């Protein structure tokens, strides 16, 4: 039985759930004497006439970047600002990007990396990080400007906050992909906009930031293909944490199952609906070439709404043998009207927000996809006495002839 570690999959972060990060953050004292309207557009993001940007006469100095500034896009992530009217941290990402013109400043100069715009109230301030290999580390507690209101000075610092411990950490870590032109913030930490370099009291914070040189493309779902669909049956099983080895995952063959999907075959295109547990109405598109059907990885399932939040879900295929994300290839038997996963190396992953394995929210293994036969599929046929057996490769049989795991009437049966 194949297993893999969290390290192998680049620190998978959320299995079978859309969990919200618990927060020990406390709001900083209210910066504005005048309360902003319920809409966050404008007032709290722009300086009013009673406030002025300044650096304190004594104390820390602003980072002075060296190199040519580039405009990078916020491809992913969220900016939240504490608003007393809501008594909570409120998402201001869209409004903030509108203020910034849709981009943020980035400088990469040899082993130095600079990011501008993390301070909502002083957007011209930079933080400075060290580039080593593909990792960029920014020291926590960097000063990013000050504002003055009614004779009082408010200082701002970018602090590293660990979601797991609800405490400050020493470094903010980004992964730099030079080929793709992206900077990706460590999932487990947030960048606080704080009032003190050693404080978790925050005016707001940045989380799960991904900066990209290229403008992000708006994903498009696979449109429903024309024509009538046919019922096909998927035989598969979940992928779960191993009970024997901590930090390992394995196929949960004890809970192997079968379920109906809809398939439409148009010329050399193979469409299937129902593989997403969260969005069963979503379609995937495959290409038929000889005895193979290839489903391109990173196909967009669509937006999924839960608890007032919207998540973009993607189909991703992980090759467990080579430890890479790649297209999902199944063996196609046109005569038997069946697709088979030739071995156990392809593991289907549902990811959230971005098509990256590190954002995994669901894992599933598909053994086979077979056209539904009226008197054969026991989950649909109520005549259980005539229900046939299926092995884990999707082959039908009236009665098992070998030892192994079989499915009948929608339940797992073990023949010894």
């Amino acid at each position: 039985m194949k297993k893999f570690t969290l390290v192998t999959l680049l620190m998978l972060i959320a299995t079978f759930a859309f969990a919200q990060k618990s927060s020990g953050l406390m709001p900083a004292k209210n910066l504005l004497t005048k309360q902003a309207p319920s809409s966050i557009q404008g007032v709290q993001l722009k300086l009013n006439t009673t406030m002025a940007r300044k650096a304190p006469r004594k104390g820390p100095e602003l980072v002075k970047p060296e190199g040519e500034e580039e405009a990078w896009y916020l491809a992913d992530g969220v900016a939240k600002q504490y608003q007393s009217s809501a008594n909570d941290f409120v998402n201001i990402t869209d409004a903030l990007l509108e203020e910034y013109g849709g981009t943020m400043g980035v400088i990469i100069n040899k082993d130095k990396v600079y990011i501008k715009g993390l301070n909502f109230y002083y957007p011209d301030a930079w933080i400075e990080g060290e580039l080593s290999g593909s990792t960029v580390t920014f020291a926590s507690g960097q000063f990013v400007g000050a504002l003055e209101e009614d004779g009082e000075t408010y200082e701002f610092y970018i602090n590293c906050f660990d979601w797991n411990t609800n405490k400050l950490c020493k470094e903010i870590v980004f992964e730099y992909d030079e080929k793709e032109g992206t900077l990706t913030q460590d999932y487990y930490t947030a960048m606080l906009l704080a009032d003190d370099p050693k404080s978790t009291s925050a005016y707001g914070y940045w989380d799960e930031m991904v900066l990209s040189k290229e403008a992000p493309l708006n994903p498009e779902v696979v449109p429903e293909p024309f024509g009538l669909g046919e019922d096909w049956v998927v035989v598969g099983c979940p992928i779960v944490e191993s009970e024997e080895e901590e930090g390992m995952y394995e196929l949960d063959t004890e809970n192997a199952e079968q379920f109906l999907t809809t398939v439409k075959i148009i010329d050399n295109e193979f469409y299937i609906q129902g593989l997403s547990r969260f969005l069963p109405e979503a379609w995937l598109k495959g290409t038929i070439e000889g005895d193979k059907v290839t489903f391109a990885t990173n196909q967009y399932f669509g937006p999924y709404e839960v608890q007032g939040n919207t998540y973009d879900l993607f189909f991703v295929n992980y090759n467990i043998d080579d430890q890479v994300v790649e297209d999902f290839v199944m063996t196609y038997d046109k005569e038997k009207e069946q697709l088979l996963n030739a071995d156990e190396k392809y593991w289907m992953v549902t990811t959230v927000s971005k098509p990256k394995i590190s954002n995994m929210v669901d894992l599933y293994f598909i053994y086979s996809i077979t056209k539904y036969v009226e008197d054969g599929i026991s989950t649909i046929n109520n005549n259980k006495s005539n229900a046939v057996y299926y092995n884990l490769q999707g082959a039908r049989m009236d009665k098992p002839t070998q030892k192994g795991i079989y499915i009948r009437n929608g339940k797992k049966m073990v023949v010894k």
Side-chain angles (χ1 to χ4, degrees):
M1 182 176 292
K2 297 187 179 180
K3 301 179 181 180
F4 63 90
T5 65
L6 296 181
V7 175
T8 301
L9 285 190
L10 308 180
M11 303 179 71
L12 301 177
I13 49 84
T15 307
F16 307 115
F18 289 86
Q20 293 186 342
K21 296 175 179 176
S22 60
S23 172
L25 298 182
M26 296 295 292
K29 56 188 176 181
N30 187 29
L31 178 62
L32 299 176
T33 55
K34 298 180 180 179
Q35 290 296 312
S38 57
S39 170
I40 60 174
Q41 295 284 350
V43 176
Q44 282 194 307
L45 301 179
K46 294 180 180 178
L47 302 175
N48 64 33
T49 55
T50 65
M51 303 173 68
R53 303 180 189 182
K54 58 173 289 185
R57 296 177 183 176
K58 297 181 181 180
E61 293 185 357
L62 290 168
V63 170
K64 297 178 180 179
E66 297 180 358
E68 184 178 351
E69 178 181 349
E70 296 180 321
W72 285 41
Y73 297 87
L74 184 68
D76 199 7
V78 62
K80 290 193 174 183
Q81 176 195 54
Y82 182 79
Q83 295 184 7
S84 56
S85 58
N87 193 30
D88 199 359
F89 290 93
V90 177
N91 190 334
I92 61 167
T93 312
D94 292 341
L96 198 62
L97 287 178
E98 185 174 337
E99 287 287 318
Y100 291 180
T103 61
M104 300 176 68
V106 172
I107 296 174
I108 299 179
N109 185 6
K110 298 180 181 179
D111 61 347
K112 298 289 186 181
V113 177
Y114 304 89
I115 298 177
K116 183 179 76 172
L118 298 179
N119 185 349
F120 313 149
Y121 306 99
Y122 197 103
D124 292 333
W126 296 81
I127 62 170
E128 177 182 317
E130 297 286 337
L131 174 61
S132 177
S134 61
T135 302
V136 184
T137 55
F138 296 87
S140 182
Q142 295 192 47
F143 175 66
V144 286
L147 299 175
E148 186 177 274
E149 182 184 43
D150 296 335
E152 185 172 359
T153 298
Y154 295 85
E155 295 185 356
F156 300 97
Y157 298 83
I158 296 297
N159 295 343
C160 180
F161 182 82
D162 189 318
W163 289 112
N164 290 326
T165 63
N166 279 341
K167 295 180 180 180
L168 293 182
C169 40
K170 294 181 179 180
E171 295 176 331
I172 303 163
V173 179
F174 276 72
E175 189 72 15
Y176 174 50
D177 189 323
E178 184 176 8
K179 181 178 179 181
E180 296 293 329
T182 58
L183 284 165
T184 302
Q185 180 187 352
D186 174 49
Y187 175 86
Y188 294 100
T189 59
M191 294 183 287
L192 304 190
L193 180 58
D195 59 355
D196 184 273
K198 297 182 179 180
S199 174
T200 59
S201 178
Y203 297 108
Y205 64 89
W206 291 89
D207 196 25
E208 301 180 42
M209 173 183 283
V210 178
L211 294 171
S212 173
K213 278 187 175 183
E214 302 295 330
L217 299 176
N218 293 323
E220 295 184 359
V221 299
V222 175
E224 179 175 355
F226 178 78
L228 296 176
E230 298 177 315
D231 290 332
W232 285 48
V233 178
V234 174
V235 177
C237 70
I239 298 170
V240 297
E241 289 188 69
S242 171
E243 295 181 356
E244 300 175 356
E245 300 180 55
E246 185 177 356
M248 304 289 287
Y249 282 69
E250 62 188 15
L251 301 183
D252 184 13
T253 54
E254 292 294 316
N255 289 304
E257 60 185 358
Q258 58 188 34
F259 59 90
L260 276 180
T261 58
T262 301
V263 166
K264 296 183 182 182
I265 301 175
I266 304 174
D267 298 328
N268 68 331
E269 295 177 340
F270 192 104
Y271 295 88
I272 184 167
Q273 180 191 50
L275 291 185
S276 171
R277 186 165 65 91
F278 299 103
L279 295 172
E281 70 278 9
W283 288 87
L284 283 182
K285 177 183 177 181
T287 302
I288 303 172
E289 294 185 10
D291 64 346
K292 305 291 183 184
V293 175
T294 301
F295 297 91
T297 196
N298 293 346
Q299 292 190 56
Y300 182 48
F301 277 135
Y304 178 72
E305 295 185 5
V306 60
Q307 299 179 347
N309 296 309
T310 300
Y311 301 89
D312 287 325
L313 300 187
F314 295 83
F315 164 82
V316 174
N317 178 65
Y318 190 74
N319 182 331
I320 191 65
D321 285 350
D322 299 330
Q323 301 182 14
V324 294
V325 171
E326 63 183 21
D327 295 341
F328 184 31
V329 182
M330 300 191 76
T331 302
Y332 179 42
D333 190 322
K334 187 175 182 181
E335 182 178 345
K336 292 183 179 180
E337 298 182 295
Q338 182 182 66
L339 298 179
L340 289 177
N341 191 351
D343 52 41
E344 294 185 2
K345 73 177 182 179
Y346 288 135
W347 297 31
M348 191 185 95
V349 180
T350 299
T351 68
V352 61
S353 186
K354 291 294 291 180
K356 301 182 95 175
I357 200 74
S358 57
N359 293 328
M360 182 273 288
V361 294
D362 203 358
L363 269 171
Y364 198 82
F365 180 77
I366 297 175
Y367 292 100
S368 64
I369 306 173
T370 308
K371 186 176 179 180
Y372 166 60
V373 179
E374 184 66 29
D375 61 352
I377 303 302
S378 57
T379 53
I380 308 302
N381 187 357
N382 292 324
N383 186 1
K384 295 185 178 181
S385 62
N386 294 328
V388 298
Y389 294 81
Y390 280 79
N391 64 19
L392 294 184
Q393 285 69 47
R396 266 189 338 148
M397 57 192 68
D398 294 329
K399 188 176 181 179
T401 57
Q402 300 179 15
K403 296 179 181 180
I405 299 174
Y406 298 86
I407 297 173
R408 187 170 186 258
N409 293 325
K411 297 182 178 180
K412 175 185 69 69
M413 298 184 67
V414 179
V415 177
K416 297 182 179 180

